[in-house]
Amino acid sequence: MFDSRMAEAAVTAVAEAIKVVGRVSRPQSLTKADTSPVTLADYASQAVVTRSLRDQLGPQTRLVGEEGSELLEKNPEFAARLAELLGFSPTPDLFQPSSIEDGACWVLDPIDGTKGFLRGDQYAIALALLKQHQIKVAVLGCPNLRLECLGRQGCLVVAVRGQGCWARPLEADEWLQLKTSDRQKDLRILTSVEPAHSDDAVAQRVTERFGATAIPMDSQAKYAVLAAGEGEVYLRIPYREKIHREYIWDQAAGSLIVEEAGGVITDLEDRPLDFSTGTRLLNNLGVCASNGPCHQALM
Ligand code: AMP
Ligand code: MG
């Protein structure tokens, strides 16, 4: 088992957020400045995780989350609905990013895969501890994900650098260690559901070349599937015309989860993910994660 106060705190925080998010019925979305959707659940999750970590680890605990305070300031009705859902009035500091220049900082995607969440499909609450430009602890909460190895819907996955990757159902205490598969054929390739997030045409060519099966799925739940050995490859291929540099909160938790389960994660040019460049992975192009044995063939 893992032995880490930080991991325990992260699991508690994500489990609390899952409960609050579960109370959001019929989610509706607003549109952010970058045209991506956001819901009450995104804000509720960030408020709960941040508050929980600060309660457990001290008020100085630093965190960068995806959601900012602007929307709450501009939309008092939304802020009031959020306070009602939470049962407390969230203070603005819960939505003000800490500096990630030095020291340890948590990185949070409060609802990764908001589009999946809105469709009732996969989404993940993704929390990671970044220290000295490395991810040290990672937690994914995936309420809609059914891992075969757990045999029921909903899971928490945790990884601690050097201590492995573990999963449990939402309402159980026992952790099961996850290991990636050792398949080198009949590969299962995980891809985005949203065509805008990854170049399908390239992924399709790779799928055909390897005689693989494509499994579209939203969010970092894909990393949990890979870690559990229920898929072999995860490709994130930016469009040539408009190269998207990944946000750290979209990759931080998932990357350690896959590595600690025995997998490999690099960008499309076989470089390790470089978490030293602020809130985006400026030194990387796309993502290729795998079970390990098939990684070089993919490159
Ligand atoms: P997925 O559910 O794997 O398709 O990825 C969801 C994430 O894609 C969101 O959290 C967004 O931050 C991210 N995203 C948004 N736009 C793009 C884009 N153009 N390319 C790649 N990822 C994006
Ligand atoms: Mg995200």
Side-chain angles (χ1 to χ4, degrees), residues 271-294:
R271 291 177 295 224
L273 300 193
D274 175 359
F275 286 97
S276 73
T277 60
T279 53
R280 284 186 183 241
L281 302 178
L282 298 178
N283 291 338
N284 292 115
L285 181 71
V287 176
C288 174
S290 77
N291 61 344
C294 63

PDB file of all heavy atoms in Angstrom, residues 271-294:
ATOM      1  N   ARG A 271       9.453  12.817 -26.109  1.00  0.00           N
ATOM      2  CA  ARG A 271      10.047  13.588 -25.009  1.00  0.00           C
ATOM      3  C   ARG A 271       9.194  13.402 -23.762  1.00  0.00           C
ATOM      4  O   ARG A 271       7.959  13.335 -23.855  1.00  0.00           O
ATOM      5  CB  ARG A 271      10.062  15.089 -25.350  1.00  0.00           C
ATOM      6  CG  ARG A 271      11.026  15.466 -26.467  1.00  0.00           C
ATOM      7  CD  ARG A 271      10.906  16.951 -26.765  1.00  0.00           C
ATOM      8  NE  ARG A 271       9.580  17.248 -27.296  1.00  0.00           N
ATOM      9  CZ  ARG A 271       9.356  18.037 -28.343  1.00  0.00           C
ATOM     10  NH1 ARG A 271      10.345  18.624 -28.966  1.00  0.00           N
ATOM     11  NH2 ARG A 271       8.129  18.260 -28.769  1.00  0.00           N
ATOM     12  N   PRO A 272       9.825  13.343 -22.607  1.00  0.00           N
ATOM     13  CA  PRO A 272       9.032  13.270 -21.379  1.00  0.00           C
ATOM     14  C   PRO A 272       8.188  14.538 -21.208  1.00  0.00           C
ATOM     15  O   PRO A 272       8.578  15.600 -21.713  1.00  0.00           O
ATOM     16  CB  PRO A 272      10.091  13.185 -20.263  1.00  0.00           C
ATOM     17  CG  PRO A 272      11.405  13.459 -20.883  1.00  0.00           C
ATOM     18  CD  PRO A 272      11.274  13.361 -22.380  1.00  0.00           C
ATOM     19  N   LEU A 273       7.047  14.434 -20.541  1.00  0.00           N
ATOM     20  CA  LEU A 273       6.241  15.638 -20.300  1.00  0.00           C
ATOM     21  C   LEU A 273       7.027  16.543 -19.351  1.00  0.00           C
ATOM     22  O   LEU A 273       7.546  16.082 -18.335  1.00  0.00           O
ATOM     23  CB  LEU A 273       4.870  15.280 -19.711  1.00  0.00           C
ATOM     24  CG  LEU A 273       3.968  14.378 -20.570  1.00  0.00           C
ATOM     25  CD1 LEU A 273       2.541  14.373 -20.024  1.00  0.00           C
ATOM     26  CD2 LEU A 273       3.960  14.782 -22.044  1.00  0.00           C
ATOM     27  N   ASP A 274       7.099  17.820 -19.715  1.00  0.00           N
ATOM     28  CA  ASP A 274       7.913  18.785 -18.970  1.00  0.00           C
ATOM     29  C   ASP A 274       6.972  19.740 -18.221  1.00  0.00           C
ATOM     30  O   ASP A 274       6.354  20.611 -18.837  1.00  0.00           O
ATOM     31  CB  ASP A 274       8.800  19.535 -19.979  1.00  0.00           C
ATOM     32  CG  ASP A 274       9.599  20.656 -19.326  1.00  0.00           C
ATOM     33  OD1 ASP A 274       9.467  20.866 -18.100  1.00  0.00           O
ATOM     34  OD2 ASP A 274      10.346  21.328 -20.061  1.00  0.00           O
ATOM     35  N   PHE A 275       6.888  19.535 -16.910  1.00  0.00           N
ATOM     36  CA  PHE A 275       5.960  20.331 -16.101  1.00  0.00           C
ATOM     37  C   PHE A 275       6.624  21.592 -15.536  1.00  0.00           C
ATOM     38  O   PHE A 275       6.215  22.087 -14.504  1.00  0.00           O
ATOM     39  CB  PHE A 275       5.369  19.472 -14.981  1.00  0.00           C
ATOM     40  CG  PHE A 275       4.341  18.486 -15.468  1.00  0.00           C
ATOM     41  CD1 PHE A 275       4.691  17.165 -15.740  1.00  0.00           C
ATOM     42  CD2 PHE A 275       3.029  18.870 -15.676  1.00  0.00           C
ATOM     43  CE1 PHE A 275       3.748  16.253 -16.202  1.00  0.00           C
ATOM     44  CE2 PHE A 275       2.075  17.968 -16.140  1.00  0.00           C
ATOM     45  CZ  PHE A 275       2.436  16.657 -16.393  1.00  0.00           C
ATOM     46  N   SER A 276       7.643  22.108 -16.213  1.00  0.00           N
ATOM     47  CA  SER A 276       8.365  23.272 -15.672  1.00  0.00           C
ATOM     48  C   SER A 276       7.998  24.573 -16.382  1.00  0.00           C
ATOM     49  O   SER A 276       8.623  25.598 -16.144  1.00  0.00           O
ATOM     50  CB  SER A 276       9.876  23.047 -15.797  1.00  0.00           C
ATOM     51  OG  SER A 276      10.267  23.180 -17.160  1.00  0.00           O
ATOM     52  N   THR A 277       6.976  24.538 -17.251  1.00  0.00           N
ATOM     53  CA  THR A 277       6.747  25.723 -18.091  1.00  0.00           C
ATOM     54  C   THR A 277       5.442  26.459 -17.768  1.00  0.00           C
ATOM     55  O   THR A 277       4.842  27.076 -18.649  1.00  0.00           O
ATOM     56  CB  THR A 277       6.763  25.337 -19.589  1.00  0.00           C
ATOM     57  OG1 THR A 277       5.716  24.384 -19.824  1.00  0.00           O
ATOM     58  CG2 THR A 277       8.086  24.721 -20.007  1.00  0.00           C
ATOM     59  N   GLY A 278       5.002  26.402 -16.530  1.00  0.00           N
ATOM     60  CA  GLY A 278       3.788  27.129 -16.147  1.00  0.00           C
ATOM     61  C   GLY A 278       2.544  26.297 -16.342  1.00  0.00           C
ATOM     62  O   GLY A 278       2.578  25.072 -16.204  1.00  0.00           O
ATOM     63  N   THR A 279       1.444  26.947 -16.690  1.00  0.00           N
ATOM     64  CA  THR A 279       0.172  26.214 -16.726  1.00  0.00           C
ATOM     65  C   THR A 279      -0.038  25.423 -18.021  1.00  0.00           C
ATOM     66  O   THR A 279      -1.014  24.698 -18.158  1.00  0.00           O
ATOM     67  CB  THR A 279      -1.029  27.165 -16.532  1.00  0.00           C
ATOM     68  OG1 THR A 279      -0.924  28.214 -17.479  1.00  0.00           O
ATOM     69  CG2 THR A 279      -1.060  27.737 -15.131  1.00  0.00           C
ATOM     70  N   ARG A 280       0.872  25.576 -18.978  1.00  0.00           N
ATOM     71  CA  ARG A 280       0.782  24.764 -20.200  1.00  0.00           C
ATOM     72  C   ARG A 280       2.081  24.021 -20.455  1.00  0.00           C
ATOM     73  O   ARG A 280       3.157  24.490 -20.055  1.00  0.00           O
ATOM     74  CB  ARG A 280       0.488  25.652 -21.404  1.00  0.00           C
ATOM     75  CG  ARG A 280      -0.965  26.101 -21.449  1.00  0.00           C
ATOM     76  CD  ARG A 280      -1.193  26.844 -22.736  1.00  0.00           C
ATOM     77  NE  ARG A 280      -2.540  27.359 -22.821  1.00  0.00           N
ATOM     78  CZ  ARG A 280      -3.420  27.016 -23.771  1.00  0.00           C
ATOM     79  NH1 ARG A 280      -3.111  26.136 -24.687  1.00  0.00           N
ATOM     80  NH2 ARG A 280      -4.626  27.554 -23.788  1.00  0.00           N
ATOM     81  N   LEU A 281       1.979  22.898 -21.142  1.00  0.00           N
ATOM     82  CA  LEU A 281       3.165  22.097 -21.481  1.00  0.00           C
ATOM     83  C   LEU A 281       3.772  22.663 -22.772  1.00  0.00           C
ATOM     84  O   LEU A 281       3.572  22.118 -23.862  1.00  0.00           O
ATOM     85  CB  LEU A 281       2.791  20.626 -21.651  1.00  0.00           C
ATOM     86  CG  LEU A 281       2.120  19.949 -20.447  1.00  0.00           C
ATOM     87  CD1 LEU A 281       1.757  18.505 -20.774  1.00  0.00           C
ATOM     88  CD2 LEU A 281       3.030  19.985 -19.220  1.00  0.00           C
ATOM     89  N   LEU A 282       4.520  23.744 -22.615  1.00  0.00           N
ATOM     90  CA  LEU A 282       5.005  24.478 -23.794  1.00  0.00           C
ATOM     91  C   LEU A 282       6.099  23.727 -24.538  1.00  0.00           C
ATOM     92  O   LEU A 282       6.335  23.960 -25.716  1.00  0.00           O
ATOM     93  CB  LEU A 282       5.528  25.860 -23.371  1.00  0.00           C
ATOM     94  CG  LEU A 282       4.478  26.782 -22.740  1.00  0.00           C
ATOM     95  CD1 LEU A 282       5.113  28.105 -22.323  1.00  0.00           C
ATOM     96  CD2 LEU A 282       3.314  27.026 -23.692  1.00  0.00           C
ATOM     97  N   ASN A 283       6.789  22.816 -23.842  1.00  0.00           N
ATOM     98  CA  ASN A 283       7.879  22.067 -24.487  1.00  0.00           C
ATOM     99  C   ASN A 283       7.440  20.722 -25.046  1.00  0.00           C
ATOM    100  O   ASN A 283       8.283  19.897 -25.387  1.00  0.00           O
ATOM    101  CB  ASN A 283       9.023  21.827 -23.487  1.00  0.00           C
ATOM    102  CG  ASN A 283       9.734  23.119 -23.137  1.00  0.00           C
ATOM    103  OD1 ASN A 283       9.666  24.076 -23.891  1.00  0.00           O
ATOM    104  ND2 ASN A 283      10.401  23.147 -21.994  1.00  0.00           N
ATOM    105  N   ASN A 284       6.127  20.488 -25.061  1.00  0.00           N
ATOM    106  CA  ASN A 284       5.641  19.198 -25.558  1.00  0.00           C
ATOM    107  C   ASN A 284       4.623  19.372 -26.665  1.00  0.00           C
ATOM    108  O   ASN A 284       3.904  20.360 -26.717  1.00  0.00           O
ATOM    109  CB  ASN A 284       5.003  18.398 -24.408  1.00  0.00           C
ATOM    110  CG  ASN A 284       6.023  17.966 -23.380  1.00  0.00           C
ATOM    111  OD1 ASN A 284       5.991  18.393 -22.235  1.00  0.00           O
ATOM    112  ND2 ASN A 284       6.943  17.125 -23.805  1.00  0.00           N
ATOM    113  N   LEU A 285       4.571  18.356 -27.509  1.00  0.00           N
ATOM    114  CA  LEU A 285       3.615  18.329 -28.612  1.00  0.00           C
ATOM    115  C   LEU A 285       2.728  17.093 -28.449  1.00  0.00           C
ATOM    116  O   LEU A 285       3.191  15.961 -28.631  1.00  0.00           O
ATOM    117  CB  LEU A 285       4.383  18.243 -29.941  1.00  0.00           C
ATOM    118  CG  LEU A 285       3.513  18.240 -31.189  1.00  0.00           C
ATOM    119  CD1 LEU A 285       2.883  19.617 -31.417  1.00  0.00           C
ATOM    120  CD2 LEU A 285       4.330  17.827 -32.400  1.00  0.00           C
ATOM    121  N   GLY A 286       1.477  17.307 -28.067  1.00  0.00           N
ATOM    122  CA  GLY A 286       0.557  16.182 -27.892  1.00  0.00           C
ATOM    123  C   GLY A 286       1.006  15.238 -26.796  1.00  0.00           C
ATOM    124  O   GLY A 286       1.921  15.544 -26.025  1.00  0.00           O
ATOM    125  N   VAL A 287       0.351  14.093 -26.746  1.00  0.00           N
ATOM    126  CA  VAL A 287       0.658  13.089 -25.724  1.00  0.00           C
ATOM    127  C   VAL A 287       0.512  11.693 -26.315  1.00  0.00           C
ATOM    128  O   VAL A 287      -0.409  11.437 -27.091  1.00  0.00           O
ATOM    129  CB  VAL A 287      -0.310  13.208 -24.514  1.00  0.00           C
ATOM    130  CG1 VAL A 287      -0.055  12.104 -23.496  1.00  0.00           C
ATOM    131  CG2 VAL A 287      -0.203  14.565 -23.831  1.00  0.00           C
ATOM    132  N   CYS A 288       1.445  10.821 -25.954  1.00  0.00           N
ATOM    133  CA  CYS A 288       1.296   9.403 -26.259  1.00  0.00           C
ATOM    134  C   CYS A 288       1.575   8.636 -24.974  1.00  0.00           C
ATOM    135  O   CYS A 288       2.690   8.668 -24.453  1.00  0.00           O
ATOM    136  CB  CYS A 288       2.284   8.985 -27.351  1.00  0.00           C
ATOM    137  SG  CYS A 288       2.268   7.200 -27.651  1.00  0.00           S
ATOM    138  N   ALA A 289       0.556   7.985 -24.452  1.00  0.00           N
ATOM    139  CA  ALA A 289       0.737   7.160 -23.256  1.00  0.00           C
ATOM    140  C   ALA A 289       0.488   5.715 -23.655  1.00  0.00           C
ATOM    141  O   ALA A 289      -0.341   5.448 -24.537  1.00  0.00           O
ATOM    142  CB  ALA A 289      -0.243   7.588 -22.174  1.00  0.00           C
ATOM    143  N   SER A 290       1.218   4.813 -23.033  1.00  0.00           N
ATOM    144  CA  SER A 290       1.039   3.406 -23.405  1.00  0.00           C
ATOM    145  C   SER A 290       1.302   2.492 -22.220  1.00  0.00           C
ATOM    146  O   SER A 290       1.796   2.924 -21.179  1.00  0.00           O
ATOM    147  CB  SER A 290       1.991   3.035 -24.550  1.00  0.00           C
ATOM    148  OG  SER A 290       3.289   2.848 -24.032  1.00  0.00           O
ATOM    149  N   ASN A 291       1.005   1.220 -22.459  1.00  0.00           N
ATOM    150  CA  ASN A 291       1.275   0.211 -21.424  1.00  0.00           C
ATOM    151  C   ASN A 291       2.774  -0.003 -21.212  1.00  0.00           C
ATOM    152  O   ASN A 291       3.188  -0.568 -20.222  1.00  0.00           O
ATOM    153  CB  ASN A 291       0.604  -1.117 -21.808  1.00  0.00           C
ATOM    154  CG  ASN A 291       1.120  -1.690 -23.130  1.00  0.00           C
ATOM    155  OD1 ASN A 291       1.744  -0.991 -23.915  1.00  0.00           O
ATOM    156  ND2 ASN A 291       0.842  -2.962 -23.366  1.00  0.00           N
ATOM    157  N   GLY A 292       3.597   0.449 -22.138  1.00  0.00           N
ATOM    158  CA  GLY A 292       5.064   0.274 -22.024  1.00  0.00           C
ATOM    159  C   GLY A 292       5.607  -0.535 -23.182  1.00  0.00           C
ATOM    160  O   GLY A 292       6.296   0.007 -24.053  1.00  0.00           O
ATOM    161  N   PRO A 293       5.281  -1.840 -23.264  1.00  0.00           N
ATOM    162  CA  PRO A 293       5.862  -2.686 -24.312  1.00  0.00           C
ATOM    163  C   PRO A 293       5.624  -2.199 -25.743  1.00  0.00           C
ATOM    164  O   PRO A 293       6.445  -2.440 -26.612  1.00  0.00           O
ATOM    165  CB  PRO A 293       5.175  -4.047 -24.097  1.00  0.00           C
ATOM    166  CG  PRO A 293       4.730  -4.034 -22.690  1.00  0.00           C
ATOM    167  CD  PRO A 293       4.476  -2.602 -22.302  1.00  0.00           C
ATOM    168  N   CYS A 294       4.525  -1.483 -25.992  1.00  0.00           N
ATOM    169  CA  CYS A 294       4.279  -1.082 -27.386  1.00  0.00           C
ATOM    170  C   CYS A 294       4.698   0.362 -27.659  1.00  0.00           C
ATOM    171  O   CYS A 294       4.455   0.884 -28.748  1.00  0.00           O
ATOM    172  CB  CYS A 294       2.815  -1.327 -27.769  1.00  0.00           C
ATOM    173  SG  CYS A 294       1.655  -0.369 -26.841  1.00  0.00           S
TER     174      CYS A 294
END
